[in-house]
Amino acid sequence: MSVMESNGLKVADRCDACGAQAYVEVVMNSGSLLFCAHHARKLKDSYSKSAIEVRDYTDQLYTQAD
C-alpha cells in the first residue's frame, strides 16, 4: 500500500495525543499521526503546513441511526 492509499481508520485506532478514538489521519513524510476530532482541530496549524495529506473521517461522528 502506498502512502496515499488508505483503508480508513478502525475503532481500535487511537489519538496520539490523548488515546481517544482517532478520526483524523495526518500523513507526514516520516509516517502518520492519528488524532481525535478535538486534537485535530486544536493542532491543525501545527501540522497543516508539513502534512502530505490529511484524511478526515469526522463525518462518521455525525451519522444518525434509523
Side-chain angles (χ1 to χ4, degrees):
M1 180 166 50
S2 74
V3 172
M4 301 307 275
E5 293 176 11
S6 176
N7 292 330
L9 295 176
K10 312 285 187 273
V11 173
D13 290 328
R14 296 300 187 204
C15 176
D16 290 325
C18 71
Q21 185 174 350
Y23 285 94
V24 177
E25 179 180 12
V26 179
V27 181
M28 310 291 274
N29 282 329
S30 59
S32 291
L33 297 169
L34 301 178
F35 295 114
C36 63
H38 165 77
H39 281 107
R41 286 189 302 269
K42 183 176 180 180
L43 299 171
K44 186 174 184 176
D45 289 341
S46 298
Y47 64 73
S48 61
K49 293 176 184 169
S50 56
I52 295 171
E53 182 179 5
V54 177
R55 300 175 184 140
D56 187 338
Y57 302 100
T58 55
D59 61 324
Q60 295 176 10
L61 286 167
Y62 307 108
T63 59
Q64 294 182 358
D66 293 332

